[in-house]
Short mmCIF file of all heavy atoms in Angstrom, two decimals:
data_model
loop_
_atom_site.label_atom_id
_atom_site.label_comp_id
_atom_site.label_asym_id
_atom_site.label_seq_id
_atom_site.Cartn_x
_atom_site.Cartn_y
_atom_site.Cartn_z
N TRP A 6 -9.08 -22.50 101.72
CA TRP A 6 -9.15 -22.96 103.11
C TRP A 6 -8.41 -24.30 103.27
O TRP A 6 -7.64 -24.48 104.23
CB TRP A 6 -10.61 -23.12 103.52
CG TRP A 6 -10.81 -23.60 104.93
CD1 TRP A 6 -11.00 -22.83 106.04
CD2 TRP A 6 -10.82 -24.96 105.38
NE1 TRP A 6 -11.15 -23.62 107.15
CE2 TRP A 6 -11.04 -24.94 106.78
CE3 TRP A 6 -10.69 -26.19 104.74
CZ2 TRP A 6 -11.12 -26.10 107.55
CZ3 TRP A 6 -10.75 -27.36 105.51
CH2 TRP A 6 -10.97 -27.31 106.89
N ALA A 7 -8.65 -25.23 102.35
CA ALA A 7 -8.05 -26.56 102.45
C ALA A 7 -6.52 -26.49 102.39
O ALA A 7 -5.82 -27.23 103.09
CB ALA A 7 -8.58 -27.48 101.36
N LEU A 8 -6.00 -25.62 101.56
CA LEU A 8 -4.55 -25.47 101.46
C LEU A 8 -3.98 -24.91 102.76
O LEU A 8 -2.88 -25.31 103.19
CB LEU A 8 -4.19 -24.58 100.29
CG LEU A 8 -4.42 -25.21 98.90
CD1 LEU A 8 -4.29 -24.15 97.81
CD2 LEU A 8 -3.44 -26.35 98.65
N ALA A 9 -4.70 -23.99 103.40
CA ALA A 9 -4.24 -23.47 104.69
C ALA A 9 -4.33 -24.55 105.76
O ALA A 9 -3.40 -24.73 106.56
CB ALA A 9 -5.07 -22.25 105.08
N TRP A 10 -5.44 -25.28 105.81
CA TRP A 10 -5.60 -26.38 106.77
C TRP A 10 -4.50 -27.41 106.61
O TRP A 10 -3.91 -27.89 107.58
CB TRP A 10 -6.97 -27.03 106.55
CG TRP A 10 -7.16 -28.36 107.22
CD1 TRP A 10 -7.61 -28.57 108.50
CD2 TRP A 10 -6.92 -29.65 106.66
NE1 TRP A 10 -7.64 -29.91 108.78
CE2 TRP A 10 -7.23 -30.60 107.65
CE3 TRP A 10 -6.48 -30.09 105.41
CZ2 TRP A 10 -7.11 -31.97 107.44
CZ3 TRP A 10 -6.35 -31.46 105.19
CH2 TRP A 10 -6.66 -32.39 106.19
N ASP A 11 -4.17 -27.73 105.37
CA ASP A 11 -3.17 -28.78 105.07
C ASP A 11 -1.76 -28.33 105.39
O ASP A 11 -0.92 -29.14 105.81
CB ASP A 11 -3.28 -29.15 103.59
CG ASP A 11 -2.30 -30.21 103.18
OD1 ASP A 11 -2.39 -31.33 103.71
OD2 ASP A 11 -1.41 -29.91 102.36
N ASP A 12 -1.45 -27.07 105.17
CA ASP A 12 -0.15 -26.48 105.48
C ASP A 12 1.00 -27.29 104.88
O ASP A 12 2.01 -27.57 105.52
CB ASP A 12 0.03 -26.36 106.99
CG ASP A 12 1.16 -25.41 107.37
OD1 ASP A 12 1.54 -24.56 106.54
OD2 ASP A 12 1.67 -25.52 108.51
N GLY A 13 0.82 -27.68 103.61
CA GLY A 13 1.90 -28.32 102.87
C GLY A 13 2.04 -29.82 103.05
O GLY A 13 2.99 -30.41 102.54
N GLU A 14 1.09 -30.47 103.74
CA GLU A 14 1.19 -31.91 103.98
C GLU A 14 0.76 -32.76 102.79
O GLU A 14 1.02 -33.96 102.76
CB GLU A 14 0.36 -32.30 105.21
CG GLU A 14 0.89 -31.73 106.52
CD GLU A 14 2.26 -32.26 106.87
OE1 GLU A 14 2.51 -33.47 106.67
OE2 GLU A 14 3.10 -31.47 107.34
N GLY A 15 0.06 -32.16 101.83
CA GLY A 15 -0.35 -32.90 100.64
C GLY A 15 -1.72 -33.54 100.70
O GLY A 15 -2.04 -34.38 99.85
N ASP A 16 -2.55 -33.14 101.68
CA ASP A 16 -3.87 -33.76 101.84
C ASP A 16 -5.02 -32.80 101.57
O ASP A 16 -6.16 -33.07 101.94
CB ASP A 16 -4.01 -34.32 103.25
CG ASP A 16 -3.01 -35.42 103.54
OD1 ASP A 16 -2.70 -36.20 102.61
OD2 ASP A 16 -2.53 -35.50 104.69
N ALA A 17 -4.76 -31.67 100.92
CA ALA A 17 -5.81 -30.67 100.71
C ALA A 17 -6.96 -31.19 99.86
O ALA A 17 -8.10 -30.73 99.99
CB ALA A 17 -5.22 -29.41 100.07
N ASP A 18 -6.70 -32.18 98.99
CA ASP A 18 -7.75 -32.72 98.13
C ASP A 18 -8.81 -33.49 98.91
O ASP A 18 -9.83 -33.87 98.34
CB ASP A 18 -7.15 -33.63 97.06
CG ASP A 18 -6.36 -32.85 96.01
OD1 ASP A 18 -6.56 -31.62 95.92
OD2 ASP A 18 -5.54 -33.47 95.30
N LEU A 19 -8.57 -33.72 100.17
CA LEU A 19 -9.57 -34.39 101.01
C LEU A 19 -10.89 -33.62 101.00
O LEU A 19 -11.97 -34.20 101.03
CB LEU A 19 -9.04 -34.51 102.43
CG LEU A 19 -9.91 -35.18 103.47
CD1 LEU A 19 -10.12 -36.65 103.14
CD2 LEU A 19 -9.28 -35.05 104.86
N PHE A 20 -10.79 -32.28 100.96
CA PHE A 20 -12.00 -31.43 101.00
C PHE A 20 -12.43 -31.10 99.58
O PHE A 20 -11.82 -30.25 98.92
CB PHE A 20 -11.71 -30.18 101.82
CG PHE A 20 -11.48 -30.48 103.27
CD1 PHE A 20 -10.19 -30.74 103.74
CD2 PHE A 20 -12.53 -30.53 104.17
CE1 PHE A 20 -9.97 -31.04 105.07
CE2 PHE A 20 -12.31 -30.83 105.50
CZ PHE A 20 -11.03 -31.09 105.95
N ARG A 21 -13.47 -31.76 99.13
CA ARG A 21 -13.90 -31.66 97.74
C ARG A 21 -15.01 -30.62 97.56
O ARG A 21 -15.74 -30.31 98.52
CB ARG A 21 -14.36 -33.03 97.25
CG ARG A 21 -13.23 -34.05 97.27
CD ARG A 21 -13.59 -35.31 96.54
NE ARG A 21 -12.43 -36.20 96.45
CZ ARG A 21 -12.45 -37.39 95.85
NH1 ARG A 21 -13.57 -37.84 95.29
NH2 ARG A 21 -11.36 -38.14 95.81
N PRO A 22 -15.16 -30.10 96.34
CA PRO A 22 -16.14 -29.03 96.11
C PRO A 22 -17.56 -29.39 96.50
O PRO A 22 -18.36 -28.49 96.84
CB PRO A 22 -16.03 -28.79 94.60
CG PRO A 22 -14.65 -29.23 94.24
CD PRO A 22 -14.34 -30.38 95.14
N GLU A 23 -17.90 -30.68 96.48
CA GLU A 23 -19.27 -31.09 96.82
C GLU A 23 -19.66 -30.69 98.24
O GLU A 23 -20.85 -30.56 98.56
CB GLU A 23 -19.41 -32.60 96.64
CG GLU A 23 -19.41 -33.08 95.20
CD GLU A 23 -18.02 -33.21 94.60
OE1 GLU A 23 -17.02 -32.89 95.31
OE2 GLU A 23 -17.91 -33.62 93.42
N LEU A 24 -18.68 -30.48 99.10
CA LEU A 24 -18.99 -30.11 100.49
C LEU A 24 -19.74 -28.79 100.60
O LEU A 24 -20.54 -28.60 101.52
CB LEU A 24 -17.70 -30.01 101.30
CG LEU A 24 -17.14 -31.29 101.91
CD1 LEU A 24 -15.84 -30.99 102.63
CD2 LEU A 24 -18.14 -31.94 102.85
N VAL A 25 -19.49 -27.87 99.67
CA VAL A 25 -20.13 -26.56 99.79
C VAL A 25 -21.64 -26.64 99.55
O VAL A 25 -22.37 -25.70 99.89
CB VAL A 25 -19.48 -25.52 98.85
CG1 VAL A 25 -18.01 -25.36 99.15
CG2 VAL A 25 -19.70 -25.89 97.39
N ASP A 26 -22.11 -27.76 98.99
CA ASP A 26 -23.54 -27.92 98.74
C ASP A 26 -24.26 -28.56 99.92
O ASP A 26 -25.49 -28.71 99.88
CB ASP A 26 -23.76 -28.78 97.49
CG ASP A 26 -23.24 -28.11 96.23
OD1 ASP A 26 -23.35 -26.88 96.13
OD2 ASP A 26 -22.71 -28.82 95.35
N ASP A 27 -23.53 -28.95 100.97
CA ASP A 27 -24.15 -29.58 102.13
C ASP A 27 -24.69 -28.48 103.05
O ASP A 27 -23.94 -27.68 103.58
CB ASP A 27 -23.13 -30.44 102.88
CG ASP A 27 -23.78 -31.30 103.94
OD1 ASP A 27 -24.51 -30.74 104.79
OD2 ASP A 27 -23.59 -32.53 103.91
N PRO A 28 -26.02 -28.43 103.26
CA PRO A 28 -26.61 -27.31 104.01
C PRO A 28 -26.28 -27.32 105.49
O PRO A 28 -26.47 -26.30 106.17
CB PRO A 28 -28.12 -27.48 103.78
CG PRO A 28 -28.29 -28.94 103.51
CD PRO A 28 -27.05 -29.36 102.76
N THR A 29 -25.78 -28.42 106.03
CA THR A 29 -25.47 -28.48 107.46
C THR A 29 -23.98 -28.32 107.74
O THR A 29 -23.57 -28.35 108.90
CB THR A 29 -25.94 -29.81 108.05
OG1 THR A 29 -25.22 -30.90 107.44
CG2 THR A 29 -27.44 -30.01 107.82
N THR A 30 -23.17 -28.14 106.71
CA THR A 30 -21.72 -28.03 106.87
C THR A 30 -21.27 -26.60 106.61
O THR A 30 -21.59 -26.02 105.58
CB THR A 30 -20.99 -28.99 105.92
OG1 THR A 30 -21.36 -30.34 106.23
CG2 THR A 30 -19.49 -28.85 106.04
N PHE A 31 -20.50 -26.05 107.55
CA PHE A 31 -19.95 -24.71 107.42
C PHE A 31 -18.43 -24.80 107.57
O PHE A 31 -17.94 -25.15 108.65
CB PHE A 31 -20.51 -23.77 108.48
CG PHE A 31 -22.01 -23.65 108.47
CD1 PHE A 31 -22.78 -24.50 109.25
CD2 PHE A 31 -22.64 -22.72 107.67
CE1 PHE A 31 -24.17 -24.41 109.24
CE2 PHE A 31 -24.03 -22.63 107.65
CZ PHE A 31 -24.79 -23.47 108.44
N VAL A 32 -17.72 -24.50 106.50
CA VAL A 32 -16.26 -24.47 106.56
C VAL A 32 -15.87 -23.05 106.94
O VAL A 32 -16.03 -22.12 106.15
CB VAL A 32 -15.65 -24.90 105.22
CG1 VAL A 32 -14.13 -24.82 105.27
CG2 VAL A 32 -16.09 -26.32 104.86
N LEU A 33 -15.35 -22.88 108.14
CA LEU A 33 -15.11 -21.56 108.73
C LEU A 33 -13.68 -21.13 108.49
O LEU A 33 -12.74 -21.84 108.86
CB LEU A 33 -15.40 -21.60 110.22
CG LEU A 33 -16.78 -22.14 110.63
CD1 LEU A 33 -16.88 -22.23 112.15
CD2 LEU A 33 -17.89 -21.27 110.06
N ALA A 34 -13.51 -19.96 107.92
CA ALA A 34 -12.18 -19.43 107.62
C ALA A 34 -11.94 -18.17 108.45
O ALA A 34 -12.71 -17.21 108.38
CB ALA A 34 -12.06 -19.11 106.14
#
């Protein structure tokens, strides 16, 4: 998802794996 969101800009690492453990956050693809 992050690579698609970034679309080659080089900022995909902004979204770190720890986010998937947050119960109130939903990354929608």
Side-chain angles (χ1 to χ4, degrees):
W6 180 94
L8 289 169
W10 166 88
D11 180 63
D12 197 21
E14 294 296 320
D16 297 324
D18 289 343
L19 181 65
F20 293 90
R21 298 192 173 180
E23 289 81 359
L24 275 178
V25 301
D26 296 324
D27 190 306
T29 64
T30 298
F31 303 91
V32 178
L33 307 175

